[in-house]
């Protein structure tokens, strides 16, 4: 949702939403719908057709389906009318909290999140109170249906959020069971940041003549994110990550890994070097995940190592940088990961490390994702040490209030030691608390120039091919 400062576009008041919803939206400080909201809300309110929609992460997809779902609820009916599925507990909790916020003035509206890692009997007790909307993970929803505690035989709307993950990961068996238990005439609504062809094919098994809504194209989705690539040798990538973290120790950073084993490996090595770090993967229980997220949100920790699935639904507005510990397998993963930063109008950075042997894979990845990273030479030891020196100067430049005893001791030091000895002791103490600078073999400037030239040649080749095609 957009702030209300601009008024030259469609406003929420023109979308025929209930006054209770408009009141809560206004209190949140929003007036104009985003592109995805502007397109989806009228469709869900006026059509019975299935829908598959894609838009950049952070553009308000939850409100796009949540507001019309709330608007369409019959509050006098205590049966489950809408079922929303998400791949992770965090995403389900986030969706549920958002819906509760939007519906705060709708008396009698009940929204219930159900997910693994929380007490089953408590969720069963809440189901007996008659929620009209249930938000859940596939495994817990399937379990509740099998126990005959969650009745989905009369649901009117079935939503899959992060549909690409839901259909591409191991959820098919759970989804099939849930779909088979629900009515044939329900509306199936799918939402995601990206909808690749493979997912479209799978989606057709659950939908009938679905309308496709695309708020932004893949190549234009992340204009607030700058992509940067560092060319380093394969065996130096982890050390390069450690040096990058050291250089940017004032930034909040998430490092993406493809597997939970890689998360454990990377986070352990980061911790061993003296950094404060948390990890997010399927190996953590709900309590551990909650503590990890809280430490990032309240600023106690600035580094998080996570798998792609575990990071779904995480809302870190102040996230500055995304690092890919290895090249993503496909462009959709690159866009999804990078979309965790550059949110709410803030600028973000997405950092890729590429070894010489991965150049072909790298070029294919960025061309498919339609992003153009800036290729940089990696940080030298001199640059990192210069940043350390700046930190010391900034520390000494601050206006500090010292007690009389501290001033007295300072004068005593000046009488007993030279200025140089005191300065060197300060430097040694300051730098001794920092993680070590790792050795990273710097690739020659000629290799980076060659990589840039190869890309230019490829671009010119494509342009010439298009010109020749037009001539024909």
């Amino acid at each position: 949702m957009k702030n209300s400062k601009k008024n030259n576009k469609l406003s929420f008041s023109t979308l025929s939403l209930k006054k209770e919803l408009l009141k809560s939206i206004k209190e949140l400080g929003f007036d104009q719908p985003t592109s995805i909201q502007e397109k989806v809300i009228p469709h869900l309110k006026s059509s019975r057709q299935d829908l598959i929609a894609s838009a950049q992460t952070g553009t308000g997809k939850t409100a796009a389906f949540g507001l019309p779902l709330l608007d369409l609820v019959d509050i006098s009916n205590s049966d489950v009318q809408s079922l929303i599925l998400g791949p992770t507990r965090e995403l389900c909790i986030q969706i549920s909290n958002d819906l509760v916020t939007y519906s705060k003035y709708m008396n009698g509206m009940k929204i219930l999140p159900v997910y693994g890692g929380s007490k089953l009997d408590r969720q069963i007790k809440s189901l007996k109170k008659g929620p009209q909307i249930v938000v859940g993970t596939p495994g817990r929803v399937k379990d509740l249906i099998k126990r005959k505690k969650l009745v989905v035989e009369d649901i009117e709307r079935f939503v899959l959020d992060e549909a690409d993950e839901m259909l591409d990961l191991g959820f098919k068996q759970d989804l099939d069971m849930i779909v088979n238990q629900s009515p044939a005439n329900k509306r199936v609504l799918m939402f995601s940041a990206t909808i690749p062809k493979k997912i479209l094919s799978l989606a057709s098994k659950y939908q009938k003549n679905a309308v496709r809504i695309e708020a932004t194209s893949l190549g234009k989705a992340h204009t607030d994110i700058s992509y940067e690539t560092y060319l380093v040798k394969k065996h130096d990538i982890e050390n390069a990550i450690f040096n990058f973290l050291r250089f940017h120790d004032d930034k909040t950073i998430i490092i993406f890994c493809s597997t939970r084993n890689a998360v454990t490996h990377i986070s352990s090595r980061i911790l061993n070097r003296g950094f404060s770090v948390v990890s997010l993967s399927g190996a953590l229980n709900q309590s551990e995940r909650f503590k990890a997220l809280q430490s990032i949100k309240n600023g106690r920790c600035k580094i998080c190592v996570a798998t792609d699935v575990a990071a779904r639904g995480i809302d870190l507005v102040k996230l500055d940088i995304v690092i890919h510990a290895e090249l993503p397998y496909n462009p959709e993963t690159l866009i999804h990961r990078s979309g965790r930063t550059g949110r709410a109008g803030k600028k973000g950075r997405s950092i890729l490390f590429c070894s010489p042997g991965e150049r072909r894979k790298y070029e294919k990845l960025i061309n498919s994702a339609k992003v153009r990273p800036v290729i940089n030479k990696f940080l030298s030891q001199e640059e990192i040490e210069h940043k350390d020196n700046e930190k010391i100067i900034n520390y000494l430049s601050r206006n500090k209030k010292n007690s009389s005893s501290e001033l007295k001791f300072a004068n005593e030091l000046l009488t007993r030691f030279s200025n140089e000895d005191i300065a060197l002791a300060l430097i040694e103490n300051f730098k001794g608390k920092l993680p070590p600078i790792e050795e990273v073999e710097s690739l020659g400037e000629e290799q980076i120039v060659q990589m840039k030239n190869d890309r230019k040649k490829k671009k010119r080749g494509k342009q010439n091919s298009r010109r020749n095609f037009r001539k024909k």
Side-chain angles (χ1 to χ4, degrees), residues 61-218:
K61 292 192 295 294
T62 300
F65 64 76
L67 290 172
L69 254 58
L70 291 166
D71 191 89
L72 293 167
V73 164
D74 178 4
I75 294 181
S76 64
N77 181 357
S78 60
D79 292 335
V80 177
Q81 298 166 44
S82 292
L83 175 63
I84 304 169
L85 295 185
T88 65
R89 293 165 284 195
E90 285 75 22
L91 182 58
C92 292
I93 292 169
Q94 181 187 317
I95 293 171
S96 179
N97 289 342
D98 286 346
L99 297 187
V100 169
T101 300
Y102 303 149
S103 63
K104 62 186 290 187
Y105 294 110
M106 298 179 72
N107 294 329
M109 177 67 71
K110 298 184 185 72
I111 298 145
L112 176 66
V114 295
Y115 47 85
S118 185
K119 290 185 177 179
L120 183 65
D121 56 349
R122 187 177 297 173
Q123 293 177 359
I124 291 173
K125 186 177 180 181
S126 297
L127 281 169
K128 292 178 180 178
K129 296 178 181 178
Q132 294 95 349
I133 298 177
V134 171
V135 188
T137 52
R140 179 51 58 94
V141 168
K142 176 185 174 183
D143 188 18
L144 289 167
I145 292 173
K146 287 176 71 175
R147 294 171 182 265
K148 302 189 184 300
K149 302 301 181 182
L150 172 58
V151 179
V152 295
E153 295 171 0
D154 297 316
I155 63 168
E156 300 172 25
R157 292 161 288 274
F158 180 46
V159 178
L160 293 183
D161 196 15
E162 304 289 7
D164 57 339
E165 291 286 351
M166 298 286 286
L167 296 175
D168 197 32
L169 295 172
F171 295 117
K172 187 179 183 304
Q173 187 175 358
D174 293 344
L175 287 175
D176 288 344
M177 183 272 187
I178 295 167
V179 168
N180 291 336
Q181 292 292 317
S182 58
N185 63 347
K186 65 183 178 300
R187 296 172 69 188
V188 180
L189 315 168
M190 297 188 181
F191 294 83
S192 188
T194 56
I195 309 288
K197 290 181 180 179
K198 177 183 176 183
I199 300 304
L200 276 176
S201 177
L202 289 170
S204 64
K205 297 177 181 179
Y206 300 99
Q207 295 182 308
K208 300 173 186 175
N209 302 317
V211 172
R212 177 79 186 273
I213 291 180
E214 210 168 352
T216 50
S217 67
L218 185 63

Side-chain angles (χ1 to χ4, degrees), residues 17 36 44 174 198 205 216 267 302 350 392 400 428 435 452:
L17 293 168
I36 187 68
L44 294 192
D174 293 344
K198 177 183 176 183
K205 297 177 181 179
T216 50
S267 57
K302 288 186 172 292
S350 178
I392 296 173
K400 297 179 289 294
E428 183 180 349
K452 291 179 179 179

